[in-house]
Amino acid sequence: MTGETPLISARQLGAVFDVSKPWLNRMLALEAKQYLTAVDMVDIDIPKGKTFALVGESGSGKSTIGRMIVGLQKPTSGQVLIDGEDFFAISSEKKKMAMRRRIQMIFQSPYASLNPRWRVRHIIGEPIRAFDLLPASEVDGRVAELLDQVGLAKSDGEKFPHEFSGGQRQRIAIARALASNPEFIVCDEPTSALDVSVQSQVLNLMKSLQRELGLTYLFISHDLSVIRYMADEIGVLYLGRLVEVADRDTLFDKPRHPYTRMLMDAAPHIDAFGRTAEIVKGEIPDPINKPSGCSFHPRCTLTEEICRRDRPEVREFGTEKARVACHLCAD
Ligand code: SF4
């Protein structure tokens, strides 16, 4: 996707958390402070109208990146650029609010993300009122339009969230996200809590809304089949670091990083008895004490001395310009 102007960029984005024990405990045990690097120098560019997907095991830093890009969490280092403007450097509250309107988030759990005491028309209308987008007399009409856009009826606006199924609740969450007329939506595992049959309906809805409204997505998932269906470009995260970035076809046709290949081998498949089996190879190391050099080296089958010693830099490969952080990758 080179050459296209990104709507959203992350530049050298980093998140470090202080995970130290309380002061007195540390003093008694003579322990130093401890820090966890959840996100490590991440660079992402997402052109307008495209979907960039982040994939990795749980604890890889996917959601932390999503929260920083949507402005919910301040990065420890680096920048989030929206149309080239550094979001966290904006001092004017009015300008910040205008930026926030352009960015929304859809969360994993359609149960926890909707206020159970509010009627659906109130939930969906809330961003319209918060950003003062329409006169009060026009809000209900706009809510009815949004309900229709996500495949629900106007009368559903009178109900409460508990009266809906999981898939319908996620449709309500999507309608609420659309209510502020956003350009960019961070979708954090939006279908992983849903049944497989409902998953595809929600994914199809998100794709058609993207085409219709020109939306740009950051799509976060641990499920490679979902990623393959949704993404234009994919970033593979391991312990907070992007170890491979490539367009969808390149990544699936020619995965270059040993971790990407391991994720693909570990994708659920049907075993000889017709059951779904998952191959898990090794455990994610302690993120507070990451392995030296390439942090994937304890799980990698190709490890050499250089892998234990030096951190691999990101290099470009092939005409597709796949970016891979591995000492031994040679195209
Ligand atoms: Fe494996 Fe070495 Fe490449 Fe890391 S740098 S992924 S340990 S081959």
Side-chain angles (χ1 to χ4, degrees):
M1 281 194 277
T2 46
E4 294 175 75
T5 312
L7 175 68
I8 302 287
S9 297
R11 286 278 166 274
Q12 296 284 288
L13 206 57
V16 179
F17 299 115
D18 184 346
V19 291
S20 314
K21 289 179 189 162
W23 177 81
L24 188 58
N25 300 41
R26 277 191 289 116
M27 288 303 118
L28 293 173
L30 295 175
E31 280 177 11
K33 279 195 154 201
Q34 285 194 306
Y35 296 94
L36 185 155
T37 303
V39 177
D40 190 358
M41 303 293 167
V42 162
D43 285 314
I44 294 173
D45 284 318
I46 318 178
K48 190 170 167 43
K50 302 288 184 187
T51 300
F52 186 98
L54 277 175
V55 66
E57 292 162 291
S58 110
S60 58
K62 306 186 293 290
S63 295
T64 308
I65 293 175
R67 291 174 62 79
M68 289 194 288
I69 289 187
V70 89
L72 287 175
Q73 185 179 318
K74 199 164 189 249
T76 312
S77 58
Q79 297 173 311
V80 174
L81 305 175
I82 302 163
D83 264 340
E85 189 157 8
D86 183 352
F87 177 80
F88 289 98
I90 298 172
S91 53
S92 149
E93 272 313 308
K94 200 174 163 203
K95 201 167 173 194
K96 226 172 193 165
M97 190 77 166
M99 265 319 188
R100 281 190 202 284
R101 183 202 62 74
R102 302 170 65 189
I103 307 168
Q104 290 296 321
M105 189 157 185
I106 300 169
F107 296 91
Q108 176 177 358
S109 170
Y111 300 90
S113 67
L114 305 175
N115 188 330
R117 288 186 293 276
W118 284 9
R119 288 184 197 278
V120 163
R121 68 175 162 77
H122 193 175
I123 292 172
I124 298 175
E126 198 260 341
I128 305 174
R129 284 183 282 272
F131 291 109
D132 201 13
L133 299 178
L134 287 173
S137 59
E138 292 176 28
V139 174
D140 282 352
R142 175 70 181 133
V143 169
E145 249 174 51
L146 287 161
L147 282 166
D148 182 56
Q149 218 163 11
V150 299
L152 295 172
K154 184 182 173 192
S155 56
D156 288 326
E158 296 307 319
K159 299 179 186 166
F160 289 94
H162 72 265
E163 296 177 69
F164 295 89
S165 67
Q168 287 171 323
R169 284 186 215 197
Q170 203 54 302
R171 285 172 190 267
I172 296 167
I174 293 169
R176 183 185 54 186
L178 295 178
S180 69
N181 304 323
E183 295 157 54
F184 174 65
I185 302 182
V186 172
C187 316
D188 188 0
E189 302 265 13
T191 58
S192 59
L194 306 177
D195 291 343
V196 177
S197 58
V198 182
Q199 270 192 23
S200 56
Q201 292 168 15
V202 173
L203 294 175
N204 284 333
L205 172 67
M206 294 180 73
K207 273 208 145 189
S208 66
L209 289 169
Q210 181 173 41
R211 275 193 303 271
E212 215 176 292
L213 305 171
L215 295 168
T216 305
Y217 290 147
L218 173 66
F219 199 93
I220 296 170
S221 179
H222 66 281
D223 184 333
L224 279 170
S225 56
V226 170
I227 292 276
R228 186 172 202 166
Y229 184 64
M230 293 300 289
D232 294 296
E233 193 171 31
I234 299 166
V236 181
L237 265 181
Y238 187 72
L239 283 179
R241 192 174 185 210
L242 277 176
V243 294
E244 181 160 5
V245 179
D247 67 74
R248 179 195 49 210
D249 293 343
T250 302
L251 194 94
F252 279 94
D253 293 348
K254 193 175 182 182
R256 288 175 164 94
H257 195 281
Y259 178 60
T260 312
R261 295 204 290 264
M262 192 198 87
L263 276 185
M264 289 191 181
D265 288 347
H269 64 279
I270 307 299
D271 72 7
F273 304 98
R275 299 168 306 194
T276 300
E278 221 168 292
I279 308 162
V280 180
K281 291 177 184 160
E283 302 223 332
I284 300 184
D286 177 2
I288 299 171
N289 297 303
K290 290 186 190 177
S292 59
C294 169
S295 52
F296 186 58
H297 85 248
R299 299 171 82 184
C300 185
T301 51
L302 305 173
T303 304
E304 293 187 1
E305 186 45 39
I306 188 174
C307 307
R308 294 187 193 92
R309 195 184 62 224
D310 299 337
R311 175 181 156 110
E313 292 308 319
V314 175
R315 293 177 293 146
E316 275 190 6
F317 292 92
T319 49
E320 326 86 15
K321 298 197 185 314
R323 289 184 278 141
V324 185
C326 171
H327 290 300
L328 305 188
C329 183
D331 210 23

